[in-house]
Amino acid sequence: KSLWWQWTAVGNGRLQVNTKGSSFDTVLAVYTGSSLTALTPVTSNDNAATSVKYSQVDFTTTRGTTYYFAVDGKSGASGQVILNGTGTSLAGPSNDNFTSATSVSGGTWTVSGSNFNATRETDEPNHGATSGYSSVWFSWSPTVSGMYTSSTSGSGFDTLLGVYTGTDFTDLTQVAANNNSTTGVTWSKVRFTATAGTTYYFAVDGANKASGRYSLTISK
């Protein structure tokens, strides 16, 4: 009961495709080739994790190459299919490193992007007491002191979130950190007291090497 899509890469990079949101237990495969008899497998997946039924793949793309995505049902399952894709260049996100953290401002804000091809730096701390491999960084200096809430709700993967003060990895002080906000969800949430004029650094990472589209918000 397979369905097929085709997509041509506009540049060299990484692409993540998943069936999150589909109504049944999916299997997903990616191929190149001009016909069924000449297909070359690129990657495939049954379940993205042991606790989910959707599939997810992450692979290197080559500019000008056409890729074919097949979604099928495990053991003959069928239902509504949702296919999601997001990618980045091989250079990785611009805020991969702590020293290149993206600056944000305001008492309430939302930023989004992808942590595909992001890396873990030498001496980088664990965020939410869990080792990550693909962190991106943001810096923020509030103009009003008080309690603030930050979360990664709406992200497409299992996130880790850490908030810090300091100037480099040798003197970072953890202000707050979280893996899962509550049982049954994979997004993170922290609440902390912020002082006006102090610079805070936010790290968004993926648990178990997860990556994808993230959403990071803060509100007072």
Side-chain angles (χ1 to χ4, degrees):
K1 299 180 180 180
S2 59
L3 297 178
W4 290 83
W5 288 262
Q6 71 178 52
W7 172 82
T8 301
V10 296
N12 299 328
R14 299 284 298 180
L15 181 71
Q16 184 186 89
V17 179
N18 65 58
T19 58
K20 189 173 183 179
S22 298
S23 66
F24 61 102
D25 190 351
T26 62
V27 291
L28 170 65
V30 182
Y31 303 91
T32 58
S34 57
S35 67
L36 288 176
T37 58
L39 290 183
T40 299
V42 175
T43 185
S44 61
N45 178 251
D46 179 3
N47 297 327
T50 56
S51 58
V52 301
K53 298 298 185 182
Y54 69 88
S55 313
Q56 180 170 291
V57 294
D58 183 358
F59 61 97
T60 300
T61 63
T62 301
R63 181 179 181 178
T65 299
T66 297
Y67 297 88
Y68 293 88
F69 309 104
V71 176
D72 208 335
K74 186 173 182 179
S75 302
S78 61
Q80 180 69 30
V81 176
I82 295 179
L83 189 66
N84 312 287
T86 185
T88 189
S89 70
L90 285 178
S94 61
N95 57 342
D96 183 7
N97 294 334
F98 175 83
T99 55
S100 58
T102 297
S103 177
V104 291
S105 60
T108 300
W109 47 263
T110 300
V111 290
S112 59
S114 169
N115 70 331
F116 284 143
N117 283 349
T119 59
R120 176 181 173 84
E121 297 178 78
T122 302
D123 298 325
E124 181 174 342
N126 293 337
H127 313 298
T130 304
S131 179
Y133 298 87
S134 51
S135 60
V136 290
W137 290 86
F138 300 87
S139 64
W140 170 70
S141 298
T143 58
V144 178
S145 300
M147 290 292 296
Y148 289 84
T149 299
S150 181
S151 87
T152 60
S153 177
S155 298
F157 62 101
D158 190 352
T159 61
L160 308 173
L161 175 61
V163 183
Y164 305 88
T165 57
T167 58
D168 57 45
F169 288 149
T170 64
D171 73 346
L172 282 189
T173 298
Q174 179 178 289
V175 176
N178 180 247
N179 182 357
N180 298 329
S181 174
T182 188
T183 302
V185 303
T186 58
W187 52 272
S188 313
K189 181 180 178 180
V190 295
R191 186 164 173 79
F192 62 98
T193 301
T195 302
T198 298
T199 299
Y200 296 85
Y201 290 89
F202 298 76
V204 177
D205 207 339
N208 300 316
K209 301 184 179 181
S211 61
R213 297 291 300 181
Y214 62 80
S215 176
L216 176 66
T217 65
I218 196 165
S219 58
K220 197 172 186 302

